[in-house]
Amino acid sequence: LLCTAGARPLVTAPAALRSVMGGGPQIPYPKWVWTPVGGWYNNYPKNYQRNGLIMAAGWFAAVTAIFQLSIRCERRAVAPHRPIPSQRWCKYAHVDDPTLKARWDAM
């Protein structure tokens, strides 16, 4: 099985079998070390859901800003031979291709 960092295991062995299975006891580690992923033996850090939502909102804001910039800046020197979806929201689509409205209506 492939596991990603911080993911919960699909199957957890009972406590009595963990040492038999070769996992052994947890080794001592420095408690003062800070890591962005939670450090050794991470069991989902506090507020991981809230932090995930904050990151998702940040990504959404960044993607929205980039999309808005793309809408403002998109220009076509040569009109495409068929209408493409981005021409529906592109600011200059009707300027770059005067026949656009007729071609959209024909579809």
Side-chain angles (χ1 to χ4, degrees):
L1 293 174
L2 295 175
C3 292
T4 57
R8 291 186 180 188
L10 297 175
V11 178
T12 306
L17 292 177
R18 286 190 193 138
S19 62
V20 176
M21 293 175 62
Q26 292 182 347
I27 60 170
Y29 59 91
K31 307 281 193 233
W32 51 269
V33 175
W34 180 87
T35 64
V37 294
W40 289 271
Y41 309 113
N42 183 14
N43 266 346
Y44 282 97
K46 270 198 314 190
N47 301 326
Y48 79 94
Q49 289 178 327
R50 180 198 60 144
N51 295 343
L53 287 175
I54 291 171
M55 287 303 299
W59 273 104
F60 182 78
V63 168
T64 301
I66 292 169
F67 183 72
Q68 293 295 326
L69 179 67
S70 172
I71 288 173
R72 285 195 308 259
C73 297
E74 183 177 345
R75 297 298 304 258
R76 298 191 183 279
V78 177
H81 61 83
R82 61 180 173 75
I84 57 175
S86 69
Q87 287 180 310
R88 288 200 186 269
W89 56 77
C90 177
K91 183 176 180 180
Y92 296 106
H94 64 283
V95 175
D96 294 339
D97 185 8
T99 64
L100 182 64
K101 181 167 178 25
R103 289 195 294 158
W104 276 114
D105 291 340
M107 288 185 81

